[in-house]
Amino acid sequence: MGVGGVATVALSLLSAPAAALGTPPPGGPCAGHAARHDRIASVLDRRAEVHARRGHLATARAYRRRARWQVELAHYYGEQARRHPLPRGAAVAYRTLRRSTALRRSFLMGFEQLTPENEMKMERLQPAPGVFRFREADWIVRFARKYCKRIRGHTLVYGRQLPRWASDGRFDAARLGFEMEWHVRSVMDRYRGRVGEWDVVNEAIAADGEYTRNVWFRALGKSYVERAFRAAHDADPGAALFYNDSGIELPNHPHTVAVRAMIADLRRRGVPVHGVGIQNHVSTTHNASEAALAKTIRKFTKLGVTVAITEMDVKLDSPGAPARRLERQRLVYRAAARACRRNPRCTSFSTWGVGDRVSWLGPAAQGLLFDFGYQRKPAYSAVSHSFGSPPGRETSQDEPGRPLGAPRL
Ligand code: XIL
């Protein structure tokens, strides 16, 4: 081998493969899915023909319906590959995802990212010390990967939805600290390379700006936050690690100020926290304006972290005719989507659920982007103007699509 050969080898060692760097392949990470669903559609169409020829008309019709759905999916993925939009996300629960075709379809065509609503919380994953139950979380992860949806892992360390063993006082502080880190490591280890983004710590600060007096804080003081992030980074150095909280939409609210101070302090000390999730559970009467939310996002990104809108819903609590209330809701969603969209370090936009039929707030709240019958609400297009690419819609000139790549850290 001559000198040229040596140089080639050295260079190829220096430049890691595109996949390892998180660079999406040409056409985006979901390139190939359009063709895949087109192929499935042709197979189904052929079966429909065979059944029609034999006189099995009902079966033929069923195959044709399924083929049409596959064509729609192919179109959706085609648009994704063409436009590389920033992802829209939604929280979904295992049970509804399995039971409801309507929910699955709305999700698959309306969102590019999935957050398991409860299936990755500690009470579900580790019901007894050392006893892990990954079945439902595994199923969701497989489902998301099958359809090329990104996954936000939610949530490793939280003061709520804890198993009894963590909250009944049986363990002293030292043991609880050990168990917390062990949980973080075990879960992240299982999903390494498949879940790229985690809410490592959820809701550690209360509305008054003080630390939430949860079981972790009572045992370990505020150091638990740092320990959780360090354990998470150790377990998967490639994952984007988020702190996630609600009530932090307004830039000068004591809650927001305290979260900012915590993040600044953690980063100053080299703790690997890469992102802040703003939950954004709001209503048509109580919400942050575009300017206020944009300012909040900017103040966080100035600390060197990315931001994501992680759990938005907009409860209808204003009076008036239904159309008027839905219009107000559209404006609240649009303001948040724009605030995120205009900051290049605000990287995804998620709602806490898909449609009003299944929401943690109950159907009366009507807080989501799809209605009770899984029809798109006015707010849907307001969000999709900035995120995702719904079939048949173009983004306007001033809101061009941006590449969907690895999280910018
Ligand atoms: C909620 C779920 O949606 C409910 O099903 C569950 O009963 C309680 O938790 N902030 C969060 C989420 O970070 O984990 C919460 O999810 C909603 C508020």
Side-chain angles (χ1 to χ4, degrees), residues 181-192:
E181 288 172 336
W182 182 249
H183 180 81
V184 169
R185 282 172 203 278
S186 310
V187 175
M188 289 194 64
D189 205 43
R190 185 170 188 90
Y191 297 113
R192 194 188 306 127

Side-chain angles (χ1 to χ4, degrees), residues 1 11 45 52 127 142-143 177-178 229 232 235 245 261 268 389 403:
M1 192 196 292
L11 254 184
D45 266 334
R142 274 199 307 276
F143 170 84
F178 169 82
F229 276 100
D245 210 342
R268 227 181 353 256
S389 55

Side-chain angles (χ1 to χ4, degrees), residues 117-118 121 154 158 161 202-203 244 279 281 311 352 360:
E117 185 171 349
N118 291 304
K121 289 172 180 168
H154 174 85
Y158 187 17
Q161 295 179 276
N202 201 34
E203 301 175 4
N244 190 48
Q279 294 185 6
H281 293 292
E311 304 188 12
W352 204 245
W360 75 302

